[in-house]
C-alpha cells in the first residue's frame, strides 16, 4: 500500500469489486467517512486518502480521548445502518464467508488501525492490515 497525492494505491484482491460496490453505495448514502473509489486496475485499486491520524498498538494519545470513542461508535453505527439495504443483493463474495442471517455488512476489523482521527474526533474508516 502506498500514498500518491490524495489517493492510496493498494493491491487488488478477489473481493475488491464487492468492496468498491459497497464504498459507492455508502457514498451514495451520504457517508463521508469512507474512502471514495478512484480506479480499479488489473492488480491494484486506487482509493481516496482520508487525512488524519491512524494509530497502531501501543495506542497514540490522539486516539484515547472519550470523544474519539464516542464518535467512532457513532460512525460505525452509521456505517452498519447504511449497509442494511445493500446486503440483500450483495451479502456474499467477501474475504470471509457470511453468517446467516445476513443483516448488515459488518466491517469486521474496526480497530484503531482502521479509524482515522482528526481534532479529537473519529472522521474516517479505513481498511488496512494491522502491523
Amino acid at each position: 500500500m502506498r500514498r500518491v497525492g490524495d489517493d492510496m494505491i493498494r493491491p487488488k484482491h478477489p473481493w475488491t469489486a464487492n468492496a468498491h460496490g459497497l464504498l459507492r453505495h455508502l457514498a451514495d448514502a451520504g457517508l463521508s467517512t469512507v474512502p471514495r473509489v478512484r480506479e480499479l486496475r488489473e492488480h491494484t485499486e486506487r482509493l481516496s486518502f482520508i487525512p488524519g491520524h491512524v494509530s497502531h498498538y501501543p495506542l497514540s494519545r490522539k486516539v484515547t480521548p472519550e470523544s474519539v470513542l464516542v464518535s467512532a461508535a457513532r460512525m460505525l453505527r452509521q456505517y452498519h445502518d447504511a449497509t442494511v439495504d445493500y446486503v440483500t443483493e450483495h451479502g456474499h463474495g467477501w474475504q470471509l464467508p457470511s453468517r446467516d442471517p445476513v443483516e448488515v455488512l459488518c466491517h469486521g476489523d474496526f480497530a484503531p488501525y482502521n479509524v482515522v482521527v482528526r481534532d479529537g474526533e473519529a472522521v474516517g474508516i479505513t481498511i488496512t492490515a494491522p502491523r
Side-chain angles (χ1 to χ4, degrees):
M1 176 174 18
R2 62 187 165 90
R3 183 175 173 187
V4 176
D6 290 335
D7 294 339
M8 293 298 295
I9 298 184
R10 307 185 318 175
K12 180 180 166 187
H13 298 285
W15 57 86
T16 297
N18 282 356
H20 285 195
L22 175 61
L23 288 173
R24 287 184 182 101
H25 174 81
L26 296 171
D28 290 346
L31 266 72
S32 62
T33 55
V34 296
R36 299 300 186 251
V37 175
R38 303 276 203 229
E39 181 180 40
L40 183 61
R41 290 188 168 181
E42 184 178 357
H43 299 289
T44 61
E45 65 174 339
R46 182 182 284 250
L47 302 172
S48 65
F49 176 77
I50 302 172
H53 178 78
V54 176
S55 185
H56 292 270
Y57 297 104
L59 295 179
S60 154
R61 289 181 187 236
K62 291 181 180 182
V63 302
T64 58
E66 186 175 337
S67 62
V68 173
L69 178 61
V70 170
S71 58
R74 189 175 296 115
M75 186 172 58
L76 183 61
R77 177 58 188 252
Q78 291 168 344
Y79 169 90
H80 285 146
D81 286 349
T83 69
V84 170
D85 60 345
Y86 186 78
V87 74
T88 329
E89 297 179 30
H90 307 284
H92 304 284
W94 297 91
Q95 182 179 8
L96 299 174
S98 62
R99 297 182 191 169
D100 288 328
V102 178
E103 298 170 336
V104 300
L105 287 175
C106 184
H107 184 280
D109 195 19
F110 196 75
Y113 48 79
N114 278 328
V115 175
V116 180
V117 175
R118 193 169 53 242
D119 300 324
E121 298 288 322
V123 297
I125 301 171
T126 67
I127 306 167
T128 60
R131 289 183 183 177

